[in-house]
Amino acid sequence: MLKETIPNFALAPYGEETGWDIPEPMHYDELFNRSNLYGWNIAPHRHDSLYQIFMLTKGEVVTSIDGRETKCVAPILVFVPPMTVHGFKYKENSDGHVLTILDTAFDSFLSHSPDLQARFKGPFVISRDLTPGQSEEIDRVFEEMAQEFHNSKPGGLQALHALTSQILVKLARTKSFFLGSTIDKGGSEAAIASRFIEAVDEHYTEHQGNEFYASLLGISEAKLIRVSNSVIGMPPKKVITNRVILEAKRSLVYTSLTCAQIGHFLGFDDPAYFSRYFKRNTGKSPADYRKEVAV
């Protein structure tokens, strides 16, 4: 049964009622411990301010990322940025690693590599053809992180920072190898693209155009269009539209709000126009889409 809102666990991984009460800006845990605690089924939810990296080293899982399910066998890597609806159905006794990072600290781990930062703006799953050498290399860093996290040693926090940076760099490189990279124009354009995506996340319900975002970023409209096409792979208007449609789909799948209420939340005063907008971009009306995914 759909709830009125998507479960949103703002500070604690997997929805613990206690807040983020650790001094480190990152948290490590064994995947076995967390998954076993919740009966190997992590219901769809999202975090306002957390990035998460999952590495499955043993077993199987069905990942659900923004409503799209994928069945995977270890080894796999999953990256989930803030506000992404995600859930997991693990095969019993699966194991691996979970790294959670506060959004306020995330960019600091890649402060010298803005081109890499832009590769972490959307969720992704690397589930095929991960070679033993590649998976073992990342697994070793996670194992070292586990030791540092569970043992109080001098310089432990510094070591955790370094290991987190290592994992992010290796994950970015692995993503580029398997999924390709749209970042090929250098750090400055990557940084602009990153700031543009962040601005869209903040203003997408206002339905602003290219001129607004260009002004917000302090660049010309022509440059915004060029950077969006070359780095993100689509024009700015498509980026904005995709963000609106993504949130509409999330609400249709994971909430019991009416189509009119969802449209109003997304900045559409006219429910009929919202329905036409959604159908124009998806090929289905909001009501038909909800029925289809509910089957």
Side-chain angles (χ1 to χ4, degrees):
M1 181 176 180
L2 291 174
K3 300 180 180 179
E4 289 198 5
T5 58
I6 302 167
N8 186 350
F9 305 135
L11 291 177
Y14 297 104
E16 296 93 326
E17 293 183 2
T18 55
W20 187 279
D21 56 359
I22 58 175
E24 300 86 359
M26 79 293 288
H27 179 82
Y28 170 84
D29 210 340
E30 288 82 7
L31 187 146
F32 178 93
N33 293 341
R34 290 293 181 181
S35 303
N36 185 38
L37 180 64
Y38 289 90
W40 305 101
N41 186 5
I42 310 301
H45 62 285
R46 64 183 180 186
H47 307 288
D48 268 345
S49 55
L50 300 177
Y51 290 84
Q52 290 192 300
I53 299 167
F54 302 84
M55 183 176 189
L56 188 71
T57 58
K58 172 188 174 184
E60 300 177 12
V61 63
V62 176
T63 66
S64 175
I65 308 294
D66 281 329
R68 180 178 180 180
E69 291 193 346
T70 306
K71 185 175 182 180
C72 307
V73 178
I76 71 164
L77 293 164
V78 182
F79 175 75
V80 180
M83 299 308 296
T84 301
V85 179
H86 59 289
F88 303 95
K89 297 177 182 178
Y90 293 100
K91 184 177 181 180
E92 190 172 345
N93 293 320
S94 293
D95 203 0
H97 312 280
V98 182
L99 175 60
T100 304
I101 307 171
L102 284 173
D103 62 344
T104 52
F106 185 84
D107 285 348
S108 68
F109 293 111
L110 296 170
S111 58
H112 298 296
S113 302
D115 58 320
L116 296 187
Q117 290 177 9
R119 300 181 192 184
F120 290 102
K121 295 306 177 183
F124 57 85
V125 178
I126 301 174
S127 60
R128 293 181 299 175
D129 301 323
L130 192 62
T131 69
Q134 289 167 323
S135 62
E136 288 170 7
E137 183 180 4
I138 298 175
D139 184 36
R140 280 196 298 270
V141 182
F142 270 118
E143 291 291 348
E144 190 173 349
M145 171 172 279
Q147 294 180 23
E148 290 289 347
F149 199 86
H150 295 305
N151 296 289
S152 298
K153 296 180 180 179
L157 183 57
Q158 186 67 47
L160 287 171
H161 273 260
L163 291 167
T164 299
S165 294
Q166 280 192 58
I167 288 170
L168 290 174
V169 169
K170 291 180 185 299
L171 185 59
R173 290 173 177 174
T174 305
K175 179 194 176 188
S176 297
F177 183 81
F178 287 108
L179 306 182
S181 173
T182 58
I183 310 302
D184 57 8
K185 295 296 182 179
S188 60
E189 289 200 349
I192 291 172
S194 175
R195 290 192 291 123
F196 172 52
I197 292 172
E198 291 174 357
V200 171
D201 277 340
E202 184 175 351
H203 297 282
Y204 68 93
T205 60
E206 300 171 16
H207 301 277
Q208 302 284 359
N210 292 351
E211 184 178 355
F212 169 83
Y213 287 103
S215 176
L216 195 65
L217 298 174
I219 60 176
S220 68
E221 186 175 345
K223 185 168 185 177
L224 173 63
I225 294 171
R226 184 177 71 252
V227 169
S228 184
N229 279 313
S230 64
V231 177
I232 304 175
M234 64 185 74
K237 289 184 179 179
K238 184 63 174 175
V239 174
I240 299 163
T241 298
N242 284 356
R243 184 64 182 88
V244 175
I245 294 299
L246 172 61
E247 199 63 31
K249 287 181 175 179
R250 286 172 170 171
S251 297
L252 288 166
V253 173
Y254 296 108
T255 81
S256 58
L257 297 173
T258 67
C259 294
Q261 288 173 322
I262 293 170
H264 181 74
F265 169 75
L266 294 174
F268 295 89
D269 293 329
D270 182 357
Y273 179 67
F274 167 63
S275 183
R276 292 195 301 272
Y277 179 92
F278 187 90
K279 186 172 184 177
R280 184 168 66 247
N281 288 284
T282 67
K284 303 178 181 67
S285 70
D288 287 343
Y289 177 81
R290 172 172 270 172
K291 290 177 183 177
E292 182 178 287
V293 297
V295 174

